[in-house]
Each structure stands twice: as structure tokens, then as C-alpha cells.
Amino acid sequence: MGKSHQQVSKFALEGRLLGFFDKKNKKAKQLGIATTEGIQTIDLSLSKKERASLSDALNRGDRIRVSGKRKLNLKTGKLKLKARQVLPASPAEICQQYTSASPCQLESETAPAPDKPVKILICQKSDCRKRGGKAVCQALEESLRESGLQDRVKIKATGCMSRCKLGPNVVVMPDKTRYTKFKPKEVPELIAKHL
């Protein structure tokens, strides 16, 4: 299939580990994760050694962060996720569960610097607007003005984020935290958490 029929982007998810599995030979080539958006099956794009250390270090029910590459087949609508990194949800857990220093270093390298500008992306395509995207945008602008944060945060209206039925969709950058079915009343919580 040509690349023109695929949309490739990065993803980052956080949730509870459901387990490692592979349908064919029962090796840890995939993982299941329960997120606020539902259950996801993610292919592991890791070496055998990395997969083995993950299955030893993590237990079912642990909170984890998964990041990697997301491929959307534009013809079929099929979404495929490939994990490049799987870590416990908090940096303290990372350092306790891994003996190697590299996962801790990776976490600190990928954590956003405090002086990076914050962008809040809000889908403004028709489905998200119908579900309240415009009201979310207005509530965010108002709340930022009241808090005096309008100079530190940029609100950007975007095109489709490919989760139309879960709209309105909001993404906070640079940490790529995604919110779905976001309501204007949740704006103060988002500001408190990220700003």
C-alpha cells in the first residue's frame, strides 16, 4: 500500500496494563492497555531483550506510559499503534523498577522543559464543534485571561484529530496529553494540572 493511503503520526497513551501477549506464539509482542478512551492493543516495536525486561518489571494493573508511532489506513480506517517506549507512569517508578539507568535518562530527556510554551490544540471540525468544541475554546480563552496566563499559552484550532465520536478533542502540548469528550466545566482542572 502506498504511503499516500496512510497517515503516520506519534502517539502517547497512559493507562493500566492489561497484559502482554501475542496471538500466534504467545511471546510478548503486543500489550493491552486500558485508557480513559477505551482498551487499546499495541504492537511492541522493541528488541527481545527489552520485551523480556518489560514483562519482568511490569505487572498487570500497573499504570504505564506508552509512546510510539500511529498509522491510520485512510482507505479502511484501520488504526495500528507501534510502541517504541513503555514506561511506568511516574519517574519514581521507572527508577525503582529498572536496574539500567537508560529508562530514567529517557524519561528526563522526553519530559518537557518548564520554559517551553504551552499550546492547547482544540479540534474545530464539524463533529467536535457540534459536540461543544467552540464552547470549550471560548471557556479556555476566558479562563486563561482571568488567570493571567494568556501570554504563556497559545490556543490553536485544529483540523480533525481522528476521534470524531469522542469529541470535542483537546491536546495539551508539548506533553501531548489528549482529552476526549471535553466539557467547558473541565477547563479549570486542565489549567490547574498543566499550568
Side-chain angles (χ1 to χ4, degrees):
M1 174 181 300
K3 292 193 181 221
S4 63
H5 300 293
Q6 290 183 352
Q7 185 181 42
V8 180
S9 59
K10 293 180 181 179
F11 77 90
L13 292 173
E14 189 171 315
R16 297 240 178 246
L17 176 66
L18 298 176
F20 295 98
F21 55 91
D22 181 32
K23 293 175 185 170
K24 296 176 185 168
N25 29 4
K26 298 181 183 175
K27 293 180 183 175
K29 290 190 176 181
Q30 295 177 316
L31 68 81
I33 182 173
T35 69
T36 55
E37 299 160 8
I39 295 173
Q40 299 283 338
T41 302
I42 302 171
D43 294 337
L44 293 170
S45 185
L46 306 169
S47 70
K48 284 183 182 180
K49 186 178 177 182
E50 290 171 317
R51 289 195 310 258
S53 69
L54 273 178
S55 55
D56 291 341
L58 298 172
N59 298 310
R60 189 176 186 178
D62 286 349
R63 289 199 58 75
I64 60 170
R65 264 189 222 142
V66 183
S67 59
K69 193 181 283 187
R70 170 187 184 273
K71 285 186 183 178
L72 176 64
N73 183 319
L74 298 174
K75 280 189 170 181
T76 63
K78 188 175 179 182
L79 180 65
K80 191 167 191 167
L81 301 175
K82 282 195 173 189
R84 304 266 172 151
Q85 188 177 47
V86 180
L87 299 169
S90 76
E93 291 173 271
I94 295 165
C95 294
Q96 289 171 358
Q97 290 189 5
Y98 287 92
T99 55
S100 162
S102 61
C104 296
Q105 291 169 347
L106 282 172
E107 179 64 22
S108 63
E109 288 167 10
T110 58
D115 60 345
K116 279 195 175 181
V118 176
K119 285 185 191 173
I120 300 176
L121 311 177
I122 304 170
C123 180
Q124 293 296 299
K125 290 302 266 186
S126 59
D127 278 350
C128 282
R129 282 181 71 88
K130 286 177 191 172
R131 290 179 168 86
K134 186 176 180 181
V136 168
C137 203
Q138 291 170 342
L140 262 169
E141 288 171 351
E142 186 178 313
S143 197
L144 289 171
R145 261 193 313 274
E146 289 172 2
S147 312
L149 296 169
Q150 70 273 14
D151 296 334
R152 287 186 43 209
V153 181
K154 182 177 181 183
I155 297 173
K156 184 175 180 192
T158 69
C160 185
M161 292 183 181
S162 302
R163 301 228 169 126
C164 303
K165 292 183 180 176
L166 297 173
N169 291 289
V170 175
V171 176
V172 180
M173 300 296 279
D175 60 347
K176 300 179 186 171
T177 304
R178 179 184 288 265
Y179 295 92
T180 57
K181 296 185 179 180
F182 196 81
K183 304 285 183 236
K185 66 181 180 185
E186 297 173 287
V187 167
E189 184 181 331
L190 178 136
I191 290 175
K193 182 176 180 182
H194 294 281
L195 307 171

Short mmCIF file of all heavy atoms in Angstrom, two decimals, residues 5-30:
data_model
loop_
_atom_site.label_atom_id
_atom_site.label_comp_id
_atom_site.label_asym_id
_atom_site.label_seq_id
_atom_site.Cartn_x
_atom_site.Cartn_y
_atom_site.Cartn_z
N HIS A 5 -1.86 6.51 1.19
CA HIS A 5 -3.06 5.96 1.81
C HIS A 5 -2.91 5.79 3.31
O HIS A 5 -3.75 5.19 3.96
CB HIS A 5 -3.42 4.61 1.18
CG HIS A 5 -3.69 4.70 -0.29
ND1 HIS A 5 -4.77 5.35 -0.80
CD2 HIS A 5 -2.98 4.24 -1.34
CE1 HIS A 5 -4.74 5.27 -2.12
NE2 HIS A 5 -3.66 4.60 -2.47
N GLN A 6 -1.80 6.29 3.86
CA GLN A 6 -1.55 6.17 5.29
C GLN A 6 -1.29 7.54 5.91
O GLN A 6 -0.68 8.40 5.28
CB GLN A 6 -0.32 5.30 5.57
CG GLN A 6 -0.51 3.86 5.27
CD GLN A 6 0.72 3.05 5.65
OE1 GLN A 6 1.75 3.61 6.01
NE2 GLN A 6 0.62 1.75 5.57
N GLN A 7 -1.77 7.69 7.12
CA GLN A 7 -1.46 8.89 7.89
C GLN A 7 -0.63 8.42 9.09
O GLN A 7 -1.10 7.62 9.89
CB GLN A 7 -2.76 9.55 8.36
CG GLN A 7 -2.55 10.85 9.07
CD GLN A 7 -3.88 11.44 9.52
OE1 GLN A 7 -4.74 10.73 10.01
NE2 GLN A 7 -4.03 12.74 9.34
N VAL A 8 0.60 8.89 9.18
CA VAL A 8 1.51 8.45 10.24
C VAL A 8 1.77 9.62 11.18
O VAL A 8 2.03 10.73 10.75
CB VAL A 8 2.85 7.94 9.64
CG1 VAL A 8 3.79 7.48 10.74
CG2 VAL A 8 2.60 6.81 8.65
N SER A 9 1.67 9.34 12.48
CA SER A 9 1.95 10.36 13.49
C SER A 9 2.45 9.67 14.75
O SER A 9 2.48 8.46 14.84
CB SER A 9 0.70 11.18 13.78
OG SER A 9 -0.34 10.34 14.24
N LYS A 10 2.82 10.47 15.73
CA LYS A 10 3.26 9.92 17.02
C LYS A 10 2.07 9.84 17.95
O LYS A 10 1.09 10.55 17.79
CB LYS A 10 4.33 10.83 17.63
CG LYS A 10 5.62 10.84 16.85
CD LYS A 10 6.63 11.75 17.51
CE LYS A 10 7.91 11.78 16.69
NZ LYS A 10 8.91 12.67 17.29
N PHE A 11 2.16 8.95 18.94
CA PHE A 11 1.11 8.88 19.96
C PHE A 11 1.75 8.71 21.32
O PHE A 11 2.89 8.29 21.45
CB PHE A 11 0.14 7.72 19.68
CG PHE A 11 0.68 6.36 20.06
CD1 PHE A 11 0.47 5.85 21.34
CD2 PHE A 11 1.41 5.59 19.17
CE1 PHE A 11 0.97 4.61 21.71
CE2 PHE A 11 1.91 4.36 19.53
CZ PHE A 11 1.69 3.87 20.80
N ALA A 12 1.00 9.06 22.34
CA ALA A 12 1.40 8.83 23.73
C ALA A 12 0.12 8.52 24.51
O ALA A 12 -0.84 9.27 24.44
CB ALA A 12 2.10 10.05 24.30
N LEU A 13 0.11 7.40 25.20
CA LEU A 13 -1.05 6.99 25.99
C LEU A 13 -0.61 6.68 27.41
O LEU A 13 0.52 6.26 27.65
CB LEU A 13 -1.67 5.71 25.41
CG LEU A 13 -2.35 5.80 24.05
CD1 LEU A 13 -2.74 4.41 23.58
CD2 LEU A 13 -3.57 6.68 24.13
N GLU A 14 -1.53 6.86 28.33
CA GLU A 14 -1.29 6.48 29.71
C GLU A 14 -2.50 5.71 30.19
O GLU A 14 -3.64 6.07 29.87
CB GLU A 14 -1.07 7.72 30.58
CG GLU A 14 -0.60 7.38 31.96
CD GLU A 14 -0.19 8.60 32.76
OE1 GLU A 14 0.53 9.46 32.22
OE2 GLU A 14 -0.60 8.67 33.94
N GLY A 15 -2.27 4.63 30.91
CA GLY A 15 -3.38 3.83 31.41
C GLY A 15 -2.88 2.64 32.22
O GLY A 15 -1.72 2.60 32.64
N ARG A 16 -3.76 1.68 32.41
CA ARG A 16 -3.43 0.47 33.18
C ARG A 16 -3.07 -0.68 32.25
O ARG A 16 -3.77 -0.94 31.26
CB ARG A 16 -4.63 0.06 34.04
CG ARG A 16 -4.98 1.10 35.07
CD ARG A 16 -4.88 0.53 36.47
NE ARG A 16 -5.17 1.56 37.43
CZ ARG A 16 -4.30 2.03 38.29
NH1 ARG A 16 -3.09 1.57 38.31
NH2 ARG A 16 -4.63 2.97 39.14
N LEU A 17 -1.99 -1.37 32.57
CA LEU A 17 -1.54 -2.50 31.77
C LEU A 17 -2.51 -3.67 31.94
O LEU A 17 -2.81 -4.08 33.06
CB LEU A 17 -0.13 -2.92 32.21
CG LEU A 17 0.44 -4.15 31.52
CD1 LEU A 17 0.69 -3.89 30.04
CD2 LEU A 17 1.75 -4.56 32.20
N LEU A 18 -3.00 -4.20 30.82
CA LEU A 18 -3.87 -5.38 30.86
C LEU A 18 -3.07 -6.66 30.69
O LEU A 18 -3.53 -7.72 31.07
CB LEU A 18 -4.94 -5.28 29.77
CG LEU A 18 -5.89 -4.09 29.90
CD1 LEU A 18 -6.83 -4.03 28.72
CD2 LEU A 18 -6.66 -4.16 31.21
N GLY A 19 -1.90 -6.55 30.09
CA GLY A 19 -1.04 -7.72 29.93
C GLY A 19 -0.28 -7.69 28.63
O GLY A 19 -0.54 -6.87 27.75
N PHE A 20 0.70 -8.61 28.50
CA PHE A 20 1.48 -8.78 27.28
C PHE A 20 1.02 -10.06 26.62
O PHE A 20 0.75 -11.06 27.29
CB PHE A 20 2.98 -8.91 27.63
CG PHE A 20 3.56 -7.66 28.24
CD1 PHE A 20 3.69 -7.54 29.61
CD2 PHE A 20 3.96 -6.62 27.43
CE1 PHE A 20 4.23 -6.40 30.17
CE2 PHE A 20 4.50 -5.47 27.99
CZ PHE A 20 4.63 -5.35 29.36
N PHE A 21 0.97 -10.07 25.27
CA PHE A 21 0.52 -11.27 24.58
C PHE A 21 0.87 -11.21 23.10
O PHE A 21 1.26 -10.17 22.57
CB PHE A 21 -0.99 -11.46 24.74
CG PHE A 21 -1.79 -10.25 24.31
CD1 PHE A 21 -2.25 -10.12 23.01
CD2 PHE A 21 -2.06 -9.23 25.21
CE1 PHE A 21 -2.96 -9.01 22.62
CE2 PHE A 21 -2.76 -8.11 24.81
CZ PHE A 21 -3.22 -8.00 23.52
N ASP A 22 0.72 -12.34 22.46
CA ASP A 22 0.80 -12.47 21.01
C ASP A 22 -0.08 -13.64 20.66
O ASP A 22 0.04 -14.72 21.24
CB ASP A 22 2.24 -12.70 20.55
CG ASP A 22 2.34 -12.81 19.04
OD1 ASP A 22 1.55 -12.15 18.33
OD2 ASP A 22 3.20 -13.55 18.55
N LYS A 23 -0.98 -13.45 19.73
CA LYS A 23 -1.96 -14.48 19.39
C LYS A 23 -1.31 -15.76 18.87
O LYS A 23 -1.79 -16.85 19.14
CB LYS A 23 -2.94 -13.94 18.35
CG LYS A 23 -3.80 -12.83 18.88
CD LYS A 23 -4.66 -12.26 17.80
CE LYS A 23 -5.42 -11.06 18.35
NZ LYS A 23 -6.11 -10.31 17.31
N LYS A 24 -0.21 -15.65 18.12
CA LYS A 24 0.34 -16.81 17.44
C LYS A 24 1.28 -17.64 18.30
O LYS A 24 1.04 -18.81 18.54
CB LYS A 24 1.04 -16.38 16.15
CG LYS A 24 0.08 -15.79 15.16
CD LYS A 24 0.78 -15.27 13.94
CE LYS A 24 -0.24 -14.58 13.04
NZ LYS A 24 0.36 -13.83 11.99
N ASN A 25 2.37 -17.06 18.78
CA ASN A 25 3.34 -17.87 19.51
C ASN A 25 3.51 -17.49 20.97
O ASN A 25 4.48 -17.83 21.59
CB ASN A 25 4.71 -17.88 18.81
CG ASN A 25 4.99 -16.65 18.01
OD1 ASN A 25 4.21 -15.70 18.02
ND2 ASN A 25 6.10 -16.65 17.32
N LYS A 26 2.57 -16.79 21.52
CA LYS A 26 2.50 -16.48 22.95
C LYS A 26 3.74 -15.78 23.49
O LYS A 26 4.09 -15.93 24.64
CB LYS A 26 2.19 -17.75 23.75
CG LYS A 26 0.87 -18.36 23.39
CD LYS A 26 0.58 -19.59 24.20
CE LYS A 26 -0.73 -20.21 23.75
NZ LYS A 26 -1.03 -21.45 24.39
N LYS A 27 4.42 -15.01 22.65
CA LYS A 27 5.53 -14.19 23.10
C LYS A 27 5.00 -12.78 23.29
O LYS A 27 4.02 -12.38 22.69
CB LYS A 27 6.66 -14.19 22.07
CG LYS A 27 7.32 -15.54 21.92
CD LYS A 27 8.42 -15.49 20.91
CE LYS A 27 9.02 -16.87 20.72
NZ LYS A 27 10.01 -16.88 19.65
N ALA A 28 5.68 -12.01 24.12
CA ALA A 28 5.21 -10.65 24.43
C ALA A 28 5.50 -9.71 23.26
O ALA A 28 6.44 -8.95 23.28
CB ALA A 28 5.88 -10.15 25.70
N LYS A 29 4.69 -9.80 22.20
CA LYS A 29 4.86 -8.93 21.04
C LYS A 29 3.81 -7.82 21.00
O LYS A 29 3.88 -6.94 20.17
CB LYS A 29 4.81 -9.74 19.76
CG LYS A 29 6.02 -10.64 19.59
CD LYS A 29 6.07 -11.24 18.23
CE LYS A 29 7.34 -12.06 18.06
NZ LYS A 29 7.42 -12.65 16.73
N GLN A 30 2.82 -7.91 21.89
CA GLN A 30 1.79 -6.88 21.97
C GLN A 30 1.48 -6.64 23.44
O GLN A 30 1.77 -7.47 24.29
CB GLN A 30 0.50 -7.33 21.28
CG GLN A 30 0.64 -7.52 19.78
CD GLN A 30 -0.65 -8.03 19.18
OE1 GLN A 30 -1.30 -8.92 19.72
NE2 GLN A 30 -1.02 -7.46 18.04
#
